[in-house]
Amino acid sequence: MAQQNAGGAAAEVRAVLAAARAAGRTALTAPEGKAVADAYGIPVPEEGLAETVDEAVALADRIGFPVAMKIVSPDILHKTEAGGVQVGVAGTAAVREAFTSIVGNARAYDAEARIQGVQVQRMAEPGLEVLIGTVTDPTFGKVVAFGLGGVLVEVLKDVTFRLAPASEADALSMLDGIRAAEMLRGVRGGEAVSREALAGLIVSVSRLAHDFPEIAEIDLNPVFASARGVVAADIRILLAEGEPVRRRQWAKEEIQASMRRLMRPSSVAVIGASNEPGKIGNSVMRNLVDGGFAGDIHPVNPKADDILGRKAYKSVKDVPGEVDVAVFAIPAKFVAAALEDVGRKGIPNAVLIPSGFAETGEHALQEEIVEIGERYGVRLLGPNIYGYYSTWYDLCATFCTPYDVKGGVALTSQSGGIGMAILGFARSTKTGVSAIVGLGNKSDLDEDDLLTYFADDPHTECIAMHLEDLKDGRAFVAAARETVRKKPVVVLKAGRTSAGAKAAGSHTGALAGDDAVYDDILRQAGVIRAPGLNEMLEYARALPVLPAPQGDNVVIITGAGGSGVLLSDAIVDNGLSLMEIPPDLDEAFRRHIPPFGAAGNPVDITGGEPPSTYEATIRLGLEDPRVHALVLGYWHTIVTPPMVFAELTARLVAEARQKGIHKPVVASLAGDTEVEEACAYLFERGVVAYPYTTEKPVAALGAKYRWARAAGLL
């Protein structure tokens, strides 16, 4: 029966949309909107359409005074701007006057507008005004929005977004996700709104948008929410003007098969290999050879017999045996023809270093290579990239600086410059990497392909991605959700201050700037969003070092009261919880600190204490099972020099881990330049430590906590 009802509702909506399309309209009228709302169980006030004054009076008498009256015209979307809305209309005479005024205002606003009449509507029961709507985002597709509504919506812009269709859990998280969430719970003696009714409405609206791709936007504003339920006083539905462009989808098994051959190749061909120093083809060859790649390296150059001591081939078709990757180091205008040869050869991956495609306006050239790749089943990395590094397989397929320090961090970037910043950071901090991959124009391979591979890569413990956009936001979210269950994903989204495209015709669309949607949906996907490049790199470096926390109780132990205050602020800023120290633990800490110190949280041992005080208090924090994470604040003194502090802290953490105690420990070291060496020592031994800052270590701890929650570990 439920399926029959759902089928009937869909048929009703489909008929309404078809009628609007047949009439050449991209906006539903108010009566059509009500029909759609009724079909999907979206509560709206009792109403009717009056074509004459007498019909308006009769409707108002039946509905009951007071009423709201609104112009009904397929050509007037913003009824208030047109003077087409009056509320609180009470009495027959007032209805007559309002009808005449509304129609007159509408004709003055747009003399050519088709006027179908005036909507007479029961006044909604007073309540908190909120907005619920959907937009079609160019990156993520159907997205549902919730926030404060009415006149506040575009002033406060307190709105949160989720992918549609939203689950009940998604909807409830949206209620808690706005800054004014407390208003929903009731303030100053006011009653709380029905969370169940609000969440149900969000789910219904998001399902409507998902079920009908031709609906571009839905805008319910205001929705009156109270303890007794919800009612949408106004519903606006806009239709899309064209069919969305669908991106080719690859099955997970297909992605994995191709990516394994890309990242772990046995044979690489370099198209455009050269003996001439300074040429990209020469740099790529040298990096492959000098990097110690154990597989076959096949230079391709029609004008050379051998390159760097290896036989050169006139065409990639002449290369013997199977080839896993073809690296292109030729001008853009020659890529398409060479890619045809790669396809005929059956090579599964093409790494396109050349620029001169869509980034310079040559969209047709990029579309041509994409078509060739799809026709032959060749996955394209790039174009317009620096290449890529797969360190565990001694593969350096790039024209940039070689890097071969193996580790657990996979890093990707859309920009070559950012890629080289990644390289320099990795070298200066001794961060071992499993891979560094340039994505460039992302004509084909993009972040979701890489996530699918790195999620199961045994060498990768953390993935960090710089991106300027996502080609397929939903595919990214799906891949990220799978990956985050196993390992952290850090994202630096460039362009966060851009206003983004404004979708015309609704409050919801006007609020759905690119970054607002990105921010909420990246959080929904469980990734850690880094505010800047340095934070992305530091999170990627720190997260594999820190064990996953087993609870929310964080304790600060510090030798400086000032650091303790700043560390406490950082705890709050990063959404962490300072532990309420129980009396017995408080007394235990007091036994180790001087009378003029301070227990509680932070535990202030004061700066003049010897190493034994640091050792006793840190050991206590590590061994008490009620403490789940430690934040250490160190102040450089001659009594306890930096390296003494570092050595004793590293030893205590190592001893705890030998006992099966794995807690995240971070440290802030203030002092002379010796604290830099002490921080490096600690980092190498599992304690995330930074000199001259109280913010960075706590931010890293906060990132670990965000991942642990997203992964379901807390």
Side-chain angles (χ1 to χ4, degrees):
M1 180 64 71
Q3 288 182 339
Q4 289 177 348
N5 291 342
E12 290 177 39
V13 173
R14 196 168 290 112
V16 171
L17 301 184
R21 287 280 201 208
R25 292 187 281 113
T26 57
L28 300 191
T29 62
E32 290 171 331
K34 184 180 187 308
V36 171
D38 289 345
Y40 266 70
I42 296 170
V44 294
E46 184 182 355
E47 63 180 44
L49 174 65
E51 298 181 6
T52 67
V53 170
D54 290 339
E55 288 179 1
V57 170
L59 274 171
D61 281 336
R62 179 173 60 79
I63 290 171
F65 295 106
V67 295
M69 299 176 67
K70 306 171 186 178
I71 194 70
V72 177
S73 169
D75 304 313
I76 299 176
L77 292 180
H78 299 287
K79 296 184 283 288
T80 303
E81 291 180 11
V85 177
Q86 289 196 28
V87 297
V89 182
T92 299
V95 169
R96 291 182 179 278
E97 182 180 343
F99 186 98
T100 303
S101 174
I102 287 171
V103 173
N105 289 342
R107 294 202 184 283
Y109 179 78
D110 183 353
E112 302 299 321
R114 293 164 290 174
I115 296 175
Q116 298 176 347
V118 173
Q119 179 188 33
V120 181
Q121 184 183 68
R122 182 191 299 277
M123 288 290 292
E125 180 182 341
L128 181 66
E129 294 186 27
V130 299
L131 168 146
I132 297 172
T134 68
V135 293
T136 306
D137 184 82
T139 297
F140 297 104
K142 301 299 181 184
V143 172
V144 62
F146 168 77
L148 291 185
V151 296
L152 295 175
V153 61
E154 291 183 15
V155 177
L156 300 180
K157 298 183 178 179
D158 190 7
V159 181
T160 187
F161 300 89
R162 298 291 186 275
L163 292 178
S167 67
E168 184 179 6
D170 289 331
L172 290 170
S173 75
M174 295 177 80
L175 304 187
D176 296 325
I178 60 172
R179 296 189 300 276
E182 199 62 32
M183 293 182 67
L184 303 177
R185 304 183 187 106
V187 293
R188 295 194 175 185
E191 62 181 9
V193 307
S194 170
R195 290 173 61 85
E196 181 182 22
L198 256 184
L201 183 53
I202 291 170
V203 170
S204 295
V205 172
S206 73
R207 174 61 63 183
L208 172 61
H210 175 266
D211 290 349
F212 295 93
E214 61 267 43
I215 295 179
E217 297 181 26
I218 303 171
D219 192 38
L220 276 60
N221 183 36
V223 172
F224 290 97
S226 69
R228 287 157 296 287
V230 294
V231 61
D234 195 22
I235 179 168
R236 180 183 298 127
I237 297 177
L238 302 180
L239 305 182
E241 295 185 358
E243 292 295 321
V245 177
R246 299 200 178 276
R247 178 176 177 259
R248 177 171 178 175
Q249 300 294 313
W250 299 84
K252 180 178 178 180
E253 296 73 21
E254 293 176 308
I255 295 171
Q256 288 280 24
S258 174
M259 287 296 303
R260 277 194 295 269
R261 293 183 70 179
L262 176 70
M263 303 305 296
R264 315 173 193 174
S266 298
S267 176
V268 176
V270 181
I271 300 174
S274 172
N275 278 312
E276 185 179 342
K279 294 278 191 179
I280 288 178
N282 178 261
S283 299
V284 172
M285 281 293 298
R286 284 212 165 274
N287 276 338
L288 285 168
V289 173
D290 296 346
F293 176 60
D296 297 324
I297 303 171
H298 302 293
V300 176
N301 187 323
K303 299 179 180 179
D305 294 323
D306 72 87
I307 294 174
L308 300 185
R310 283 170 166 74
K311 176 179 172 56
Y313 297 90
K314 306 300 181 186
S315 166
V316 73
K317 293 185 296 182
D318 301 328
V319 175
E322 289 191 349
V323 177
D324 296 306
V325 182
V327 181
F328 283 62
I330 55 178
K333 62 183 178 180
F334 301 124
V335 168
L339 189 57
E340 289 273 2
D341 290 342
V342 166
R344 295 189 187 102
K345 174 73 175 171
I347 300 173
N349 297 289
V351 177
L352 306 178
I353 291 176
S355 55
F357 291 88
E359 83 283 358
T360 61
E362 295 291 343
H363 297 283
L365 192 57
Q366 185 159 311
E367 290 168 4
E368 181 183 5
I369 63 170
V370 169
E371 186 279 324
I372 295 169
E374 288 190 352
R375 180 157 30 99
Y376 289 103
V378 181
R379 300 304 308 270
L380 311 180
L381 181 63
N384 185 32
I385 62 172
Y386 50 85
Y388 74 112
Y389 305 76
S390 185
T391 57
W392 287 94
Y393 299 91
D394 298 317
L395 179 73
C396 181
T398 172
F399 63 93
C400 299
T401 307
Y403 187 77
D404 60 359
V405 181
K406 299 173 177 64
V409 180
L411 299 134
T412 77
S413 70
Q414 214 169 324
S415 156
I418 300 302
M420 292 307 97
I422 288 171
L423 203 65
F425 176 89
R427 195 180 302 281
S428 67
T429 57
K430 300 179 182 177
T431 300
V433 302
S434 60
I436 303 175
V437 182
L439 283 168
N441 296 4
K442 296 193 289 194
S443 65
D444 177 19
L445 282 168
D446 61 9
E447 287 84 2
D448 50 281
D449 295 293
L450 298 185
L451 283 175
T452 300
Y453 171 75
F454 288 129
D456 294 330
D457 176 31
H459 298 300
T460 299
E461 301 170 36
C462 177
I463 304 148
M465 297 181 149
H466 157 265
L467 57 93
E468 294 169 3
D469 62 0
L470 289 170
K471 297 297 184 185
D472 186 338
R474 285 185 173 256
F476 175 85
V477 169
R481 282 173 167 165
E482 286 291 315
T483 305
V484 164
R485 294 187 304 179
K486 306 171 186 177
K487 56 194 71 171
V489 178
V490 182
V491 168
L492 171 60
K493 166 63 173 69
R496 61 184 174 80
T497 59
S498 169
K502 297 291 189 291
S506 82
H507 296 292
T508 309
L511 291 162
D514 286 346
D515 196 65
V517 176
Y518 263 101
D519 198 52
D520 281 345
I521 294 180
L522 289 177
R523 189 179 300 112
Q524 185 184 7
V527 307
I528 300 159
R529 186 171 183 185
L533 177 58
N534 185 256
E535 288 89 348
M536 181 192 84
L537 296 171
E538 291 292 3
Y539 292 170
R541 174 190 177 205
L543 290 174
V545 171
L546 294 172
Q550 302 300 307
D552 292 324
N553 290 335
V554 180
V555 170
I556 298 171
I557 299 173
T558 180
S563 292
V565 174
L566 290 174
L567 289 168
S568 299
D569 287 341
I571 291 285
V572 174
D573 289 343
N574 285 277
L576 303 175
S577 300
L578 277 175
M579 180 184 184
E580 290 285 341
I581 305 290
D584 63 310
L585 182 56
D586 185 73
E587 179 58 33
F589 275 122
R590 287 184 185 277
R591 286 197 291 268
H592 299 294
I593 63 178
F596 48 86
N601 197 3
V603 179
D604 183 3
I605 68 172
T606 76
E609 286 301 292
S612 59
T613 306
Y614 277 105
E615 180 164 349
T617 51
I618 293 171
R619 177 179 282 113
L620 185 57
L622 284 169
E623 294 184 352
D624 192 299
R626 294 167 293 182
V627 178
H628 301 125
L630 286 179
V631 177
L632 308 180
Y634 166 78
W635 177 29
H636 185 169
T637 67
I638 296 175
V639 178
T640 304
M643 280 306 297
V644 171
F645 168 80
E647 288 168 357
L648 75 86
T649 300
R651 173 173 51 80
L652 290 171
V653 169
E655 290 173 358
R657 291 180 182 175
Q658 287 175 354
K659 297 175 183 178
I661 300 171
H662 297 272
K663 297 180 182 180
V665 180
V666 302
S668 163
L669 278 67
D672 210 333
T673 54
E674 294 100 312
V675 297
E676 296 176 17
E677 180 187 0
C679 285
Y681 182 91
L682 284 166
F683 228 116
E684 291 171 3
R685 289 159 179 80
V687 177
V688 170
Y690 293 98
Y692 322 128
T693 172
T694 52
E695 294 80 19
K696 277 189 175 183
V698 181
L701 181 63
K704 190 72 178 189
Y705 263 91
R706 292 201 296 279
W707 170 71
R709 292 190 181 101
L713 301 178
L714 281 177

